[in-house]
Amino acid sequence: MTETLARPDFPTEIVTEGRARLLVPKLRAFVRSPSDYAPSKAPVFYNPVMELNRDIAVLALQAYQRRINHEISVCEPLAGCGIRGVRFAVDVQGVRKVVMNDINEKAVQTALYNVHMNQVGKQVTVKNKDANLLLSSHGAPHKRFDAIDLDPFGSPVPYIDSAVRALRNHGLLALTATDMAPLCGVHPKACIRKYGGKPLRTEYCHELAVRLIAGCLTTVAAKHEIGLNIVFSHSAEHYVRLYATIEYGAKMADESLRNMGYMLHCFKCFHRESLAGLSPIGHSGKCSECDSKLSIGGPLWLGKILDESFCRLMEEETKQKQLGNKKKIEKILALAKNEADAPIGYYVIDRLCDALNLPVPSVKSVVETLRKEGFQACLTIFNPKGIRSNASAASVKGLVEEIVKTGR
Ligand SMILES: C[S@@+](CC[C@H](N)C(=O)[O-])C[C@H]1O[C@@H](n2cnc3c(N)ncnc32)[C@H](O)[C@@H]1O
Ligand SMILES: [Zn+2]
C-alpha cells in the first residue's frame, strides 16, 4: 500500500480545482521549446485549460444525479492524473462509487495519490487496464455504471461501443472529442472513416461536429437496441463535448434513428437546410436561393443537442458549487437554455460581413433587428459571433447591410 501511494518520481505541483486539491505534473518542467504542447510532454496527462470542461462535467453529473434521484456509480476509463474522477467524488453529491482507470502506470500512481490526498478512498478505485477491456468487463447487467465519462486523446469512437454496453438503462454518457480537423472538415476522409458521416467546413462546423459524434453514437447504440437523447453539448476552440442519456429498447433505437439526416450547405450564398432521413436521394442538390450546387454533410444527428430542462438543472446546481469558471458557465447556461429549440446551423456575422465586404455590427444589434422583423433569433454557445435564426441567408445578409448602412 505504501508503495502504490508513493509520490510520483517526476516534477509535480499541487493545484486546486472545485473543492479538490490535486497533485499534477509541473508542466513548466517538461517544456523544451515554445512549440511544445506541455500536457502531452509530461509523463502523466494533465491539461489546466480543460478546467472549464471539467467544471461543466461536474455540473452535468450533478444535474443527472438530481434528475434520477438516487446514488450513482461513475466510470472514468481514461483518467490521466485523476483530476476529473476525484472531482466527481469530491464535488458531486450522491456519488456512491467512482472507477477510474488509465493504461499508463504513472497516471494510475498519480491518481491513487490524489484519491488518498482527498480522502475519497472509500468511494474511488483506480485500475490499470486498457479502457475497452475495463468497460467490457462491466457489460453484464448488474455490473453496469450510471454514468461514464470518455475523455480521450483525439476521438472517443474507439470506446463508444464498450461504453454503451457498460451503461445502465437511462445512464449518462459524456464524451470529449479533440480531433477537430476531421470533424470540422479539414480531413473529411478521416471523419467518414471514424464517425461514418461527411463533415462540412462551414462556419457552424463545431455544431456539426457535435451532430456527427451524436450520429455515430446513435448508430452504434441502435445496434444494441438502445436509443438516446442529447441533454447537453458545448465546444471550445480545440474540442467538443457531448452528454447523452440512453434508453433501452428497439423502439427507442428506431426513434433515435429518425433524428438522423443530412445538412445541405451553399458555400456561395450561405444558404443552409437540413434533410431528414437516411438518404439524401430526392433532393435536387441545388441551392434554393442562388441555384448553386449544395455541399452535403452527414449522415448526422438533426435532433436536439441541448435540453432546456437539463440546462435549467445545471444552472441551479451552479449556484451551489465552487467552480473556477462560475461566471463563464452562468453565461453559457443562460444562452444554452434559450437556444435549445432554435434552428440548426447558426450564422456567423464576421463571416457574412467578410463575404459582403462590410464592417461587422454587434451580434446583439443583428439579433434585435431580426426579432423586430418578426424572425426567431438568439445567440449561441457555439460561437460568440453566431446567431441562430429561422431567417433565410438572404434576409440575414440584407438586414446586416441595412444595419451597417443606417448605423443602427
Ligand atoms: C486526455 S487524457 C485524460 C485526461 C483526464 N480525463 C482529465 O480530465 O484530465 C487521456 C488518457 O487516456 C489514457 N489512455 C490512452 N489510451 C488508453 C487505453 N487504451 N486505455 C486506457 N487509458 C488510455 C492516457 O494515458 C491518458 O492519460
Ligand atoms: Zn446559394
Side-chain angles (χ1 to χ4, degrees):
M1 196 65 182
T2 33
E3 228 171 61
T4 48
L5 287 181
R7 211 180 164 106
D9 61 358
F10 50 83
T12 54
E13 62 184 333
I14 303 281
V15 298
T16 304
E17 245 193 51
R19 291 195 299 117
R21 282 180 78 237
L22 289 308
L23 182 88
V24 298
K26 192 178 196 163
L27 296 180
R28 287 188 305 281
F30 302 100
V31 178
R32 302 242 140 66
S33 81
S35 62
D36 277 354
Y37 175 57
S40 55
K41 293 284 166 193
V44 169
F45 189 90
Y46 162 63
N47 190 354
V49 173
M50 292 298 245
E51 182 176 354
L52 174 74
N53 180 314
R54 289 186 287 265
D55 279 354
I56 293 178
V58 161
L59 282 174
L61 191 63
Q62 188 69 78
Y64 169 72
Q65 190 277 331
R66 296 273 187 249
R67 191 181 247 191
I68 61 167
N69 197 24
H70 62 70
E71 288 206 313
I72 56 172
S73 59
V74 188
C75 180
E76 204 215 346
L78 306 149
C81 65
I83 190 164
R84 188 179 295 258
V86 167
R87 287 195 62 190
F88 289 159
V90 173
D91 288 333
V92 182
Q93 286 167 12
V95 173
R96 179 174 54 82
K97 178 174 93 170
V98 179
V99 176
M100 292 200 288
N101 174 75
D102 204 284
I103 204 157
N104 173 356
E105 273 179 40
K106 289 194 178 195
V108 171
Q109 188 194 15
T110 315
L112 277 169
Y113 193 91
N114 283 323
V115 169
H116 181 73
M117 191 159 67
N118 287 276
Q119 299 172 346
V120 286
K122 281 205 179 115
Q123 273 162 288
V124 187
T125 48
V126 187
K127 310 260 184 197
N128 184 204
K129 293 184 181 177
D130 170 76
N132 276 324
L133 213 61
L134 173 84
L135 289 167
S136 294
S137 69
H138 283 269
H142 63 286
K143 287 194 170 173
R144 292 177 188 150
F145 298 103
D146 294 295
I148 297 175
D149 193 313
L150 291 177
D151 186 43
F153 294 136
S155 170
V157 170
Y159 310 104
I160 288 182
D161 190 88
S162 55
V164 165
R165 287 187 286 113
L167 261 189
R168 276 201 190 119
N169 195 10
H170 304 294
L172 176 77
L173 180 59
L175 307 170
T176 313
T178 60
D179 54 338
M180 297 311 285
L183 284 165
C184 284
V186 180
H187 304 307
K189 276 189 197 158
C191 187
I192 294 166
R193 216 165 45 232
K194 288 182 188 169
Y195 296 92
K198 189 173 159 292
L200 287 174
R201 211 171 167 177
T202 61
E203 61 274 29
Y204 51 94
C205 66
H206 281 218
E207 174 188 347
L208 292 184
V210 167
R211 296 189 179 283
L212 282 158
I213 302 167
C216 173
L217 184 54
T218 304
T219 49
V220 171
K223 287 172 195 158
H224 299 289
E225 305 201 325
I226 290 172
L228 54 100
N229 285 301
I230 310 296
V231 289
F232 193 72
S233 56
H234 66 109
S235 74
E237 194 59 41
H238 73 290
Y239 70 84
V240 287
R241 181 95 170 139
L242 186 151
Y243 295 85
T245 53
I246 66 157
E247 211 167 333
Y248 280 33
K251 232 174 147 182
M252 298 314 301
D254 288 343
E255 228 167 81
S256 293
L257 285 171
R258 277 198 281 280
N259 285 296
M260 295 296 287
Y262 293 82
M263 202 65 202
L264 287 79
H265 184 86
C266 177
F267 281 97
K268 194 144 186 219
C269 78
F270 291 96
H271 169 73
R272 68 284 312 266
E273 62 186 274
S274 59
L275 185 66
L278 285 171
S279 152
I281 296 168
H283 193 283
S284 72
K286 290 271 176 72
C287 174
S288 56
E289 291 195 29
C290 77
D291 214 34
S292 301
K293 191 170 179 284
L294 290 168
S295 297
I296 302 179
L300 42 72
W301 172 268
L302 295 175
K304 282 187 172 204
I305 55 172
L306 292 162
D307 174 314
E308 193 191 335
S309 70
F310 197 81
C311 292
R312 281 187 197 284
L313 268 177
M314 285 173 73
E315 207 173 27
E316 267 168 44
E317 292 306 328
T318 312
K319 294 178 200 146
Q320 333 290 334
K321 299 275 183 231
Q322 192 173 312
L323 302 165
N325 295 282
K326 201 168 190 152
K327 286 262 144 20
K328 209 171 184 175
I329 292 173
E330 280 167 354
K331 280 187 193 153
I332 291 174
L333 293 172
L335 288 183
K337 59 181 191 204
N338 267 337
E339 77 171 293
D341 293 313
I344 299 178
Y346 47 88
Y347 298 100
V348 176
I349 300 309
D350 300 31
R351 294 284 195 96
L352 292 180
C353 290
D354 249 11
L356 297 170
N357 218 355
L358 288 174
V360 186
S362 74
V363 269
K364 235 175 141 190
S365 67
V366 182
V367 167
E368 278 165 13
T369 311
L370 279 163
R371 284 186 186 154
K372 264 189 217 146
E373 293 296 318
F375 294 111
Q376 206 185 331
C378 67
L379 299 176
T380 169
I381 61 169
F382 288 92
N383 189 315
K385 293 285 167 73
I387 292 174
R388 290 193 189 275
S389 178
N390 57 353
S392 66
S395 306
V396 179
K397 283 186 292 186
L399 284 174
V400 168
E401 266 169 330
E402 207 179 298
I403 294 168
V404 172
K405 230 191 311 172
T406 57
R408 264 202 273 172

